[in-house]
Amino acid sequence: MQAVHNIAEICAQMGITDVVLSPGSRCAPLTIAFARHPRIRVRTVPDERAAAFIGLGLAQTQRRAVALVCTSGTAGLNYAPAVAEAYFQQIPLVVFTADRPPEWIDQLDGQTIRQTDLYGAHAKGTFTFPVDTAHADAKWHSERIVTEAINIAQQFPAGPVQVNIPLREPFYPKEEVHFEKVKVIREEAPVLMLAAAELETIRQTLRQMPRTLVVAGQYHHDEALLLALWEFAAAYQVPVVGDVISNLHLPVGASFDVRNVPLGRQDVFMAVPEPGLKAALRPELLITFGQSLISKALKLYLRDSAPQEHWHIQPAGAVADTFRSLTRVIRMEPATFFTALLRPDSQNVAEPALATEFSKRSSMSSAEPLVAAADATRVAAAPIPIGSPRLTWPTAGWALGKEEAKQKAAFLTPWQRAEGWAKGFLNEFFSAKDQPFNEFSAFRKALEFVPDRAALHLANSMAVRYANIIGLPAGRAIEVFANRGTSGIDGCTSTAVGSALANPDRPVVLLTGDVAFFYDRNAFWHNYLASNLRVVLFNNHGGGIFRIIDGPRQQPELEEFFETRQTLTAENTARDFGLNYFTARSFAELESVLPVFFAPGNSQSGAALLEIATDSATNADFFEHYRALVRSSFA
């Protein structure tokens, strides 16, 4: 078993610090090795599905690989939802599945299934550990397998890798476990750049195509990217659109202005049935980066209004043609790409006379802590400013000539006005008196109280949609996470739990619906519940989304077969797992409980859950009222 025990040492040397395992006998040699390694933290989660999503949350937050360990048989199959999510969200997981020796596969032995390549096309790679490692070559092979698996998991685009480990008895050591000196192979990520001539051609194209639009998909917080992107947007006078999961809203830079945030209310103004607006917003050149979009309205619009050119910025890996218009893939990191377009050279326009925000801060690391625009301990609701966004950089438009700037403004202005109208409309809509108590309005109130510096997790399916419509309070350093790789409800809570474990000094908030919450209750079934976790549960006693989307809501089978009514409340769940429990059934109760629920001092008393109870039919009627007003109120 020495080669198996050495797996823990290889992981430690390759930078893996966290392992999530589920108990079992066949995986005992791995369990013991990881548990006894001095530089690895091991957490035990009995439910493999929850364990895998907790591991995903740890890796997502730490931005480095996390190892999963399970026993043989169906245990590994229970990892599959999280493995698929990690694959499409590009999160590094190294999955160690214990197995029977090959001669016992298909021989009716207990806990035995076909585990080779268990995750198929949803894993970046799969390896089979040698059954016998007594020979020196086999031992060398085993070390190479593990280091290669970790490297592949962390290469861009990151993702899950399986290492299947056939094990023979005896599993439990009679002597002290020790870790030998091992050989590891480290891999450095390449820095990809375009030739100067090619960059200048791109600059020329940007100047010559006035209707240029940047759209960001799901992306992690990257301060260097944001600084370069805002300077690029100002220099070339280009509108930038991002869903809430793109994390473009985060405040960065010494001169950050809340009106400099990206355009993010596309779910509102794209629903306006105004042909003139759609024509005014149509791009000639579309530049994209990141992963998936939440906004179906924006996706459909860009498919129907295909640009002449569509560039996607991504350093490696397969590229999706989401809008059916892709013409060019530029193999660079997005931050590097936008930075390169700003760097003056002999072929570029004259260097701007004023020092820019980018030039002042370009040497700063993207790993710096988030800069909060307000006190991190605030519990009062944040004011939401009204008015059109603006580009206030002192050197706005420096990359353009006078006529080019005029043409760019003619395209930028309609986007800014649509965004400004949408923000004003939402403020007016939610300020209306005599609203029935409903989850849409309650969700907005909860968002206003999310603490600065929080990691905000949004569950599928209505929670992430509500947040994308409403947006976050301006100026808050709130990083957003969501399982939008596969958009499933199966591990949203577990992922948030993993995030809380990864960063115990940071508030972690989960906004979730009842179906996603009760489906994933085993997220709390372990001994590591973090005190910094806050769960806000919107319980309408069913799958409320089916009352909102066209199709199921018009069917007589809606309530029983689509919405799936249930009568559960979360009070017993909170009691079972030791969460402090709060509840609200009216606006008055909600406004009273939110400051208490999010008060910083409460983090000392443990994790907490706030259950907001609403009526599904009322929610659907109110949301339809909202959609009707959007369609009729645009001017």
Side-chain angles (χ1 to χ4, degrees):
M1 290 296 173
Q2 186 60 54
V4 176
H5 295 158
N6 285 346
I7 291 173
E9 176 65 18
I10 295 169
C11 287
Q13 288 198 26
M14 297 290 284
I16 292 179
T17 59
D18 290 86
V19 175
V20 181
L21 62 84
S22 297
S25 185
R26 183 66 53 172
C27 60
L30 280 166
T31 299
I32 291 168
F34 280 120
R36 295 184 187 180
H37 198 284
R39 300 201 306 277
I40 292 179
R41 178 163 185 172
V42 179
R43 298 176 177 90
T44 303
V45 180
D47 184 327
E48 283 88 2
R49 189 183 73 193
F53 276 107
I54 288 172
L56 183 143
L58 285 161
Q60 185 185 62
T61 302
Q62 296 174 344
R63 297 179 197 163
R64 63 174 180 266
V66 166
L68 305 176
V69 176
C70 70
T71 193
S72 63
T74 57
L77 287 174
N78 285 296
Y79 282 167
V83 167
E85 178 65 30
Y87 181 83
F88 287 108
Q89 207 183 137
Q90 300 175 1
I91 295 174
L93 293 177
V94 183
V95 182
F96 295 103
T97 52
D99 197 4
R100 289 291 195 274
E103 64 268 19
W104 284 106
I105 307 303
D106 293 329
Q107 300 304 309
L108 305 183
D109 207 21
Q111 284 186 249
T112 305
I113 64 172
R114 300 171 184 177
Q115 291 184 205
T116 302
D117 197 16
L118 191 59
Y119 308 110
H122 293 122
K124 281 189 68 182
T126 183
F127 298 87
T128 299
F129 204 78
V131 181
D132 298 304
T133 56
H135 194 281
D137 288 355
K139 194 173 180 183
W140 161 75
H141 183 210
S142 68
E143 293 177 1
R144 183 164 55 83
I145 281 174
V146 178
T147 57
E148 189 173 346
I150 297 170
N151 279 330
I152 291 175
Q154 299 192 125
Q155 287 169 1
F156 188 94
V161 176
Q162 180 198 7
V163 182
N164 195 50
I165 305 180
L167 294 167
R168 293 196 176 99
E169 298 187 59
F171 304 137
Y172 301 94
K174 296 180 180 179
E175 301 173 352
E176 185 67 28
V177 171
H178 68 280
F179 304 103
E180 295 181 335
K181 183 178 180 180
V182 295
K183 183 177 80 72
V184 299
I185 304 168
R186 305 184 191 279
E187 184 170 328
E188 302 297 331
V191 178
L192 303 174
M193 286 293 297
L194 297 179
E198 194 169 0
L199 282 171
E200 180 55 25
T201 299
I202 290 174
R203 294 187 189 106
Q204 292 288 353
T205 303
L206 286 168
R207 297 187 197 107
Q208 294 165 6
M209 300 188 82
R211 303 174 70 84
T212 299
L213 174 68
V214 174
V215 173
Q218 183 170 20
Y219 210 78
H220 59 268
H221 168 62
D222 184 337
E223 184 170 348
L225 169 63
L226 294 183
L227 289 169
L229 183 58
W230 301 147
E231 180 74 357
F232 165 83
Y236 289 93
Q237 295 289 275
V238 171
V240 178
V241 179
D243 282 337
V244 68
I245 58 173
S246 69
N247 282 303
L248 300 189
H249 57 272
L250 287 159
V252 294
S255 62
F256 177 79
D257 187 307
V258 294
R259 288 164 293 186
N260 286 341
V261 295
L263 310 176
R265 302 304 184 279
Q266 57 275 10
D267 268 340
V268 183
F269 61 77
M270 283 292 177
V272 172
E274 176 59 54
L277 174 64
K278 299 296 176 62
L281 301 181
R282 182 173 181 171
E284 298 171 314
L285 169 62
L286 174 64
I287 301 175
T288 60
F289 66 90
Q291 299 165 47
S292 64
L293 290 177
I294 301 168
S295 178
K296 185 176 181 180
L298 181 59
K299 280 190 285 191
L300 293 178
Y301 172 72
L302 290 174
R303 287 172 188 170
D304 293 339
S305 305
Q308 297 174 26
E309 292 193 45
H310 172 193
W311 304 344
H312 185 76
I313 317 303
Q314 182 174 305
V319 174
D321 190 7
T322 304
F323 310 118
R324 301 185 300 207
S325 59
L326 187 65
T327 58
R328 185 175 188 180
V329 177
I330 299 176
R331 292 300 188 184
M332 296 176 72
E333 288 284 354
T336 308
F337 172 76
F338 292 112
T339 299
L341 295 178
L342 292 166
R343 184 174 295 125
D345 57 39
S346 59
Q347 296 175 309
N348 197 6
V349 296
E351 185 172 0
L354 297 174
T356 65
E357 186 69 27
F358 170 77
S359 64
K360 286 185 290 183
R361 294 179 57 87
S362 60
S363 63
M364 301 190 74
S365 168
S366 62
E368 289 185 52
L370 296 172
V371 180
D375 184 358
T377 63
R378 69 178 299 165
V379 295
I384 300 178
I386 300 175
S388 296
R390 63 176 184 174
L391 295 169
T392 56
W393 300 90
T395 55
W398 64 260
L400 305 170
K402 185 176 181 180
E403 186 59 32
E404 291 169 340
K406 183 179 178 181
Q407 292 177 348
K408 291 281 190 183
F411 180 63
L412 175 63
T413 300
W415 280 96
Q416 291 183 321
R417 287 180 175 170
E419 177 80 4
W421 170 83
K423 286 184 176 181
F425 169 83
L426 288 172
N427 278 291
E428 185 176 347
F429 174 78
F430 285 113
S431 298
K433 305 298 183 184
D434 302 322
Q435 293 180 21
F437 187 58
N438 69 91
E439 67 181 12
F440 194 20
S441 297
F443 197 97
R444 183 176 186 263
K445 289 183 180 294
L447 275 179
E448 293 173 11
F449 281 85
V450 173
D452 286 313
R453 296 183 58 253
L456 174 62
H457 285 253
L458 300 169
N460 298 309
S461 48
M462 282 309 296
V464 72
R465 289 175 170 84
Y466 283 148
N468 203 51
I469 292 169
I470 297 166
L472 295 177
R476 294 283 191 89
I478 298 171
E479 189 173 8
V480 178
F481 300 87
N483 284 351
R484 298 301 293 180
T486 59
S487 303
I489 65 168
D490 37 7
C492 300
T493 307
S494 294
T495 304
V497 169
S499 178
L501 292 172
N503 200 341
D505 297 325
R506 183 182 187 185
V508 175
V509 179
L510 169 67
L511 303 183
T512 184
D514 52 297
V515 178
F517 177 83
F518 290 118
Y519 194 83
D520 194 22
R521 274 185 292 190
N522 279 355
F524 306 115
W525 185 29
H526 51 79
N527 300 319
Y528 314 102
L529 198 56
S531 62
N532 58 324
L533 179 65
R534 295 290 177 273
V535 178
V536 182
L537 165 62
F538 297 86
N539 191 352
N540 56 35
H541 299 286
I545 189 173
F546 292 107
R547 285 186 180 269
I548 291 173
I549 59 176
D550 287 329
R553 66 176 177 155
Q554 286 89 7
Q555 308 307 314
E557 295 87 357
L558 167 65
E559 189 164 312
E560 182 176 358
F561 295 105
F562 291 96
E563 190 178 34
T564 315
R565 298 290 292 169
Q566 52 83 19
T567 60
L568 296 172
T569 68
E571 186 173 7
N572 287 333
T573 300
R575 183 184 301 113
D576 288 344
F577 297 114
L579 287 82
N580 296 314
Y581 180 72
F582 301 79
T583 186
R585 297 177 176 273
S586 67
F587 285 129
E589 290 181 359
L590 184 62
E591 289 169 359
S592 175
V593 76
L594 280 171
V596 178
F597 178 75
F598 282 116
N602 284 344
S603 64
Q604 306 302 317
S605 58
L609 186 150
L610 167 60
E611 185 168 21
I612 301 173
T614 61
D615 176 71
S616 185
T618 301
N619 294 337
D621 289 344
F622 186 80
F623 195 74
E624 184 55 37
H625 172 60
Y626 153 78
R627 292 200 291 196
L629 285 180
V630 169
R631 290 191 293 265
S632 63
S633 299
F634 181 79

